[in-house]
Amino acid sequence: MPGQGTKHVITMKNLHIAVVLLCTSLSAVAQTDFRKGFIITLEKDTVSGQIDFHDGGRAFSTCLFRKADGGESRSYAPADIAGYGFIDGRRFESKTVTINSAVETGFLEILVGGKVTLYKYREAFFADKDLTDIRQLRDERQTRIVNGETFVRNSNEYIGTLTYFMSDCPEINKNVERTKFHQRSLAKIVEVYNKCKSGTTSTVYNSKKPWAKAIFGIIGGVDFSSPTIDGEWMLFGDKVEALRSAKSPLIGISLDASSPRISERFFFTSSFLYAHVTYHMGSVTNRSYDNFITLEFHELRIPFGFRYSFAPRLVTPFLNAGLSTTIHLKTSSAWRQEVVSGDDVYLTSRGEFPTSDTQLGFWGGIGILTRINQKFDTSFEVRYEHTNGFAASSLDTSLTSSVANIQLLVGLRIK
């Protein structure tokens, strides 16, 4: 038993070191992301250089610009310049707009340019016809009470605004009415209208970025699990824990999906991982009634959630988190109870321990991506997962369990 404890301490120490190294690398390299671009001065002059790329709200309020690689950078607010853009990428204009009854000046991203221009400002969309009449596109949730019943629906106000702007092209009226309130659908109808009026395609500054992209890979590693079981009458009030952490290999496939046209940093992430886990568990709270349980699971783990990647580098840090489902493909168990009465010990075999078919939980992780070439990269990640455990509660509603595990994962992705 001392040897097992020493192994556990060494393992946790190594995991702590790995997390510290990953956090250090994240803070060291997740700084700026300068890309080729330009600013447009208030005098309408174009100045070439490099601009710090941002995927979130900062892009609408600040432009960090430098004239040359490694040169001194300067921060511009929307009042300082007329706009900025990236070569073959996003384009922003400085404008004053009314959003939700408040007047704001910011950098509006030009999603589609033409007779009707579509803009995005943070989470809001705007349309402008002939650069003279800019209006916010709205689809607010409305609550109505009819005969004592409450109904909630969307206002669809944006349909009326688009219909007004595009009334001189009646052949697309049905297309306008079917337009959904999200970026891709709005951009499509504006492009259709501009082609209807001018006979040419619209200007889409970020058109080289695809609307959807999927990245597949293989992933594997090792899992360190620690389960806990609590029971009332079934375990005689005993609490059962792992005698030692279960160390199990993991292998599977991964999927990262994104919409680069909308965001280059946010991904939906998921994986399918197979694990063969064996737990050796024993009593920790009751000396009169001792439970000893051995459980063996063949598991399919399906974590899913969201990933945020920082500025792309040769080594790129990322964070991810989400929910998880664990399916027990095959289960076996052995359960015995020992009852101490005076000098006598009574041993009883209880057969198989009642287990559920699935586990539900949450997870989070931190890791780095290392670029191999244009087609492949590798990932190194530490994850923590906590589930509601494997104990079936149908026989005893007080029977509860949980599983906490730490995973060390390595992956190879095809970009």
Side-chain angles (χ1 to χ4, degrees):
M1 292 301 290
Q4 292 173 345
T6 303
K7 288 182 181 179
H8 180 70
V9 172
I10 293 175
T11 298
M12 296 307 295
K13 180 179 179 181
N14 291 339
L15 291 175
H16 176 73
I17 292 174
V19 172
V20 171
L21 290 175
L22 285 172
C23 291
T24 302
S25 66
L26 186 150
S27 60
V29 303
Q31 302 297 325
T32 57
D33 182 14
F34 279 98
R35 302 182 184 183
K36 291 183 179 179
F38 56 88
I39 60 172
I40 302 174
T41 67
L42 297 177
E43 293 76 25
K44 305 303 181 183
D45 294 325
T46 300
V47 182
S48 299
Q50 296 179 331
I51 297 174
D52 187 18
F53 179 88
H54 288 281
D55 218 12
R58 189 174 176 183
F60 303 100
S61 61
T62 304
C63 171
L64 188 61
F65 173 80
R66 67 187 185 189
K67 290 186 177 181
D69 190 10
E72 184 178 354
S73 59
R74 178 180 175 182
S75 179
Y76 291 95
D80 300 327
I81 56 177
Y84 71 93
F86 297 91
I87 304 301
D88 296 327
R90 301 168 74 183
R91 175 80 175 266
F92 295 82
E93 282 187 6
S94 176
K95 284 185 175 293
T96 299
V97 294
T98 300
I99 176 170
N100 299 327
S101 302
V103 178
E104 294 187 28
T105 299
F107 291 119
L108 274 64
E109 182 179 2
I110 308 173
L111 301 178
V112 180
K115 186 173 181 64
V116 167
T117 300
L118 178 66
Y119 298 95
K120 182 180 181 181
Y121 180 63
R122 303 188 187 279
E123 301 302 320
F125 296 101
F126 290 84
D128 189 356
K129 187 169 184 178
D130 296 325
L131 304 180
T132 60
D133 187 14
I134 187 168
R135 302 188 183 189
Q136 184 181 353
L137 302 178
R138 299 174 179 272
D139 189 28
E140 299 172 348
R141 300 284 285 176
Q142 295 180 334
T143 301
R144 293 186 178 184
I145 300 177
V146 180
N147 296 328
E149 294 187 34
T150 302
F151 298 90
V152 179
R153 68 175 186 177
N154 291 357
S155 67
N156 291 328
E157 184 181 339
Y158 71 98
I159 296 292
T161 303
L162 292 175
T163 300
Y164 170 73
F165 278 162
M166 301 176 181
S167 59
D168 52 349
C169 187
E171 54 266 40
I172 68 168
N173 283 348
K174 290 185 178 181
N175 301 69
V176 175
E177 293 173 0
R178 290 194 294 264
T179 300
K180 305 299 182 182
F181 193 70
H182 57 74
Q183 183 171 323
R184 186 171 186 176
S185 184
L186 293 172
K188 182 178 180 180
I189 192 60
V190 172
E191 290 183 56
V192 169
Y193 170 78
N194 288 339
K195 186 175 182 180
C196 169
K197 294 308 297 178
S198 61
T200 60
T201 57
S202 304
T203 302
V204 183
Y205 294 99
N206 209 25
S207 60
K208 292 190 176 182
K209 299 291 184 181
W211 282 109
K213 182 178 181 180
I215 301 174
F216 294 93
I218 55 174
I219 188 171
V222 62
D223 171 89
F224 302 87
S225 296
S226 295
T228 300
I229 304 175
D230 246 320
E232 190 63 38
W233 65 267
M234 181 176 288
L235 298 180
F236 301 105
D238 197 4
K239 183 176 182 180
V240 180
E241 291 184 351
L243 298 176
R244 59 182 180 274
S245 293
K247 182 179 178 181
S248 313
L250 297 168
I251 187 68
I253 59 175
S254 64
L255 167 65
D256 292 324
S258 67
S259 179
R261 182 80 68 91
I262 298 175
S263 173
E264 296 183 25
R265 303 281 176 82
F266 285 95
F267 298 80
F268 169 81
T269 184
S270 183
S271 54
F272 296 84
L273 296 167
Y274 170 78
H276 181 192
V277 188
T278 301
Y279 298 119
H280 299 280
M281 308 184 67
S283 296
V284 295
T285 59
N286 195 317
R287 295 182 179 178
S288 298
Y289 302 93
D290 290 329
N291 289 272
F292 297 94
I293 303 171
T294 300
L295 301 112
E296 183 178 0
F297 295 97
H298 293 265
E299 299 177 344
L300 176 62
R301 300 183 182 181
I302 311 175
F304 56 92
F306 294 95
R307 167 176 291 178
Y308 178 80
S309 291
F310 290 84
R313 297 283 196 279
L314 182 60
V315 176
T316 302
F318 63 84
L319 302 170
N320 50 21
L323 304 177
S324 64
T325 298
T326 300
I327 301 173
H328 299 152
L329 303 174
K330 183 179 179 182
T331 305
S332 62
S333 64
W335 176 20
R336 74 176 192 272
Q337 285 182 334
E338 294 182 0
V339 180
V340 179
S341 178
D343 295 332
D344 298 323
V345 178
Y346 300 93
L347 178 64
T348 304
S349 175
R350 297 295 302 271
E352 292 195 349
F353 187 84
T355 57
S356 60
D357 295 328
T358 60
Q359 299 179 46
L360 301 176
F362 61 89
W363 64 278
I366 179 174
I368 55 175
L369 295 171
T370 303
R371 185 171 64 245
I372 299 176
N373 52 40
Q374 295 297 322
K375 292 291 185 180
F376 298 94
D377 62 22
T378 58
S379 63
F380 303 88
E381 183 181 357
V382 177
R383 288 184 184 177
Y384 172 80
E385 182 184 27
H386 187 94
T387 77
N388 63 350
F390 44 72
S393 59
S394 58
L395 298 179
D396 180 3
T397 55
S398 68
L399 185 64
T400 61
S401 64
S402 65
V403 176
N405 60 67
I406 294 178
Q407 304 164 13
L408 301 180
L409 299 171
V410 179
L412 175 65
R413 307 192 315 163
I414 303 174
K415 296 188 291 183

